[in-house]
Amino acid sequence: MVKEAFIVAFRRWGASGKLGNRTLTTCRAVVLPRFGGPEVLEVRDDSILPDLGASDVLVRTHAVGVNPLDMRMREGYGRSLFEPLLPLVLGRDVSGEVTAVGSSVRHFHVGDQVFGALHPTATRGTYSEYAILGEEQLAPKPESLSHTDAAAIPFASLTAWRALRSTANIQKGQKVLIMGGGGAVGLAAIYIAKAAGCYVACTCGKRSMEKVKEAGAEEAVDYASLNLKDQFRAKFDVVLDTIGVPETEASGINLLRRGGQYMTLQGETVTYTDKYGLIAGGAAAAAALIKKQMKYRQSHGIEYWWPIMRTDAEGLEEICRLAADGRLKIPVGQTFPLEMAGEAHQARDGKNAGGKVVLEVERKANF
Ligand SMILES: NC(=O)c1ccc[n+]([C@@H]2O[C@H](COP(=O)([O-])OP(=O)(O)OC[C@H]3O[C@@H](n4cnc5c(N)ncnc54)[C@H](OP(=O)(O)O)[C@@H]3O)[C@@H](O)[C@H]2O)c1
């Protein structure tokens, strides 16, 4: 009964492209009722969908990429922001079909195949039969990609874009080192730096050597090597450290030329806000970052950053173009039905997924 009303409501939206009389606001989703291990994830048929805003797009999800952020949020990372909002729907990536659009949406129509990602702080995620994203958070899905392959791309690639293009402003001919080139962000970073005309080197595990070479890395060094500093031919203009532990930070900074830029994806803003609350923690994080920036400017003459993924329409457009041309690929390691999100998290926790883990949303014939 509830599902029927839901279908009727969405068909009405679909026909008009407007919100009209909204009669139903729930759908099936994987919900996080409390922080904990993969076992806490629950499938619910009555997850509440917020109202569609004027610039929002309602997407019927076909596939959802699983990101490290999802696992960390499940364990309580970001609790200062998310705890009051439990039960939460996790998930940032989505690939699917437009089912309804807000009144000011210009670039998408009902029936369009799209992919995209939510911002890290979005309060309702994509582990759901329907997801709501802003128009600027979506791009047309390249026809050459399945929904499953497309769902592996946006969050990781936009993170790499944010670091390399928006923060470091990489330029043709620069030398870029990606630490952790074998992961989803690392691979996307290699493709993005190559597309910008940079010379790219990376560190990765033995099992990732082929992948990073295929992505275009000119040099790849096993991260288990001793004296990483001696393994590379030259100093770098930019280092993107996706691992961000003290050892990689020390190596990365010593591999930069003076005037170079080091970026770690393990910024401490959320750690501080979880510990001291949003306001005091935010101030403490800003102070910690400034302290590090001053320290490294003085000791090494380099710039130090904590870039955070941000949705970016221009970035997504370029990522979409690269993916359509086969110049950006994030291999999918394992897929699971949406209902098995807990098992998917377990597979990721085990670190043997061999590529991105993607949830596929199967639905009954009348959906
Ligand atoms: N700041 C942000 O906004 C932001 C956004 C997205 C992600 N992140 C963070 O960035 C990290 C990477 O995300 P992801 O999606 O790329 O994860 P992922 O696909 O799971 O990749 C992680 C990779 O790290 C590699 N690795 C582990 N230890 C390493 C080391 N010591 N040196 C070099 N490589 C090492 C592994 O490579 P091998 O397979 O080659 O062993 C693994 O494939 C995560 O910690 C995530 O939380 C931050």
Side-chain angles (χ1 to χ4, degrees):
M1 185 67 192
V2 169
K3 272 194 175 170
E4 276 161 22
F6 186 48
I7 295 161
V8 168
F10 283 128
R11 283 203 180 130
R12 187 181 316 142
W13 286 346
S16 66
K18 293 190 183 125
L19 300 180
N21 291 331
R22 191 138 196 238
T23 53
L24 192 101
T25 54
T26 61
C27 69
R28 173 172 267 238
V30 175
V31 163
L32 180 77
R34 60 186 186 286
F35 299 125
E39 71 289 348
V40 301
L41 295 172
E42 278 176 19
V43 180
R44 289 194 191 164
D45 282 326
D46 59 352
S47 166
I48 294 169
L49 271 168
D51 287 338
L52 207 58
S55 59
D56 287 342
V57 177
L58 183 71
V59 177
R60 178 188 285 184
T61 56
H62 286 248
V64 176
V66 175
N67 285 290
L69 179 64
D70 306 347
M71 337 279 293
R72 295 177 75 181
M73 280 174 65
R74 190 201 70 219
E75 290 168 345
Y77 179 79
R79 64 172 64 238
S80 54
L81 178 66
F82 294 117
E83 194 158 30
L85 303 171
L86 290 171
L88 271 181
V89 177
L90 300 176
R92 308 289 105 179
D93 279 324
V94 72
S95 184
E97 180 176 332
V98 174
T99 313
V101 295
S103 56
S104 68
V105 171
R106 291 287 165 265
H107 298 105
F108 296 106
H109 302 94
V110 171
D112 288 352
Q113 308 296 307
V114 293
F115 76 135
L118 288 163
H119 190 268
T121 55
T123 52
R124 188 181 189 279
T126 55
Y127 288 12
S128 172
E129 283 183 330
Y130 289 85
I132 295 176
L133 289 90
E135 180 174 25
E136 75 294 348
Q137 297 175 325
L138 289 167
K141 178 183 78 63
E143 276 180 25
S144 53
L145 297 187
S146 66
H147 282 292
T148 301
D149 288 336
I153 292 174
F155 191 81
S157 304
L158 283 164
T159 303
W161 179 273
R162 172 89 173 133
L164 295 179
R165 297 294 301 268
S166 313
T167 307
N169 190 20
I170 51 169
Q171 300 294 322
K172 190 172 176 186
Q174 283 192 316
K175 291 190 163 59
V176 175
L177 172 65
I178 313 293
M179 305 188 83
V185 178
L187 276 177
I190 297 172
Y191 283 112
I192 287 169
K194 287 308 299 173
C198 297
Y199 176 92
V200 183
C202 73
T203 63
C204 63
K206 275 199 179 66
R207 65 178 183 170
S208 301
M209 289 287 171
E210 225 166 278
K211 273 195 292 196
V212 301
K213 288 280 167 78
E214 199 199 323
E218 273 96 353
E219 291 179 72
V221 169
D222 183 348
Y223 56 64
S225 310
L226 295 174
N227 299 325
L228 217 46
K229 181 156 73 55
D230 304 330
Q231 309 286 328
F232 292 102
R233 290 182 212 138
K235 292 246 175 181
F236 295 92
D237 298 291
V238 172
V239 171
L240 172 58
D241 184 355
T242 74
I243 314 305
V245 294
E247 297 75 34
T248 57
E249 181 165 315
S251 313
I253 281 168
N254 282 312
L255 281 160
L256 279 169
R257 65 162 177 80
R258 282 189 88 76
Q261 303 190 67
Y262 170 87
M263 292 166 294
T264 171
L265 293 186
Q266 312 301 334
E268 293 173 63
T269 307
V270 178
T271 311
Y272 277 102
T273 53
D274 282 350
K275 200 163 171 190
Y276 302 116
L278 287 175
I279 295 171
L289 175 59
I290 291 169
K291 199 169 154 199
K292 280 209 161 193
Q293 288 176 327
M294 286 169 61
K295 174 179 137 185
Y296 287 127
R297 220 171 271 153
Q298 216 166 28
S299 61
H300 291 75
I302 60 123
E303 294 301 318
Y304 177 99
W305 305 106
W306 288 344
I308 294 176
M309 181 275 181
R310 196 167 68 181
T311 51
D312 175 320
E314 189 198 334
L316 189 57
E317 202 178 301
E318 175 69 6
I319 286 159
C320 176
R321 226 185 341 259
L322 292 174
D325 293 349
R327 293 199 292 149
L328 193 162
K329 295 179 222 157
I330 308 293
V332 174
Q334 284 187 51
T335 61
F336 293 84
L338 176 69
E339 291 76 6
M340 290 176 68
E343 285 81 350
H345 276 212
Q346 250 159 10
R348 270 224 53 134
D349 274 344
K351 302 197 192 318
N352 281 322
K356 196 90 182 170
V357 171
V358 175
L359 301 173
E360 293 178 322
V361 185
E362 294 174 48
R363 61 196 73 247
K364 310 221 164 36
N366 62 351
F367 262 86

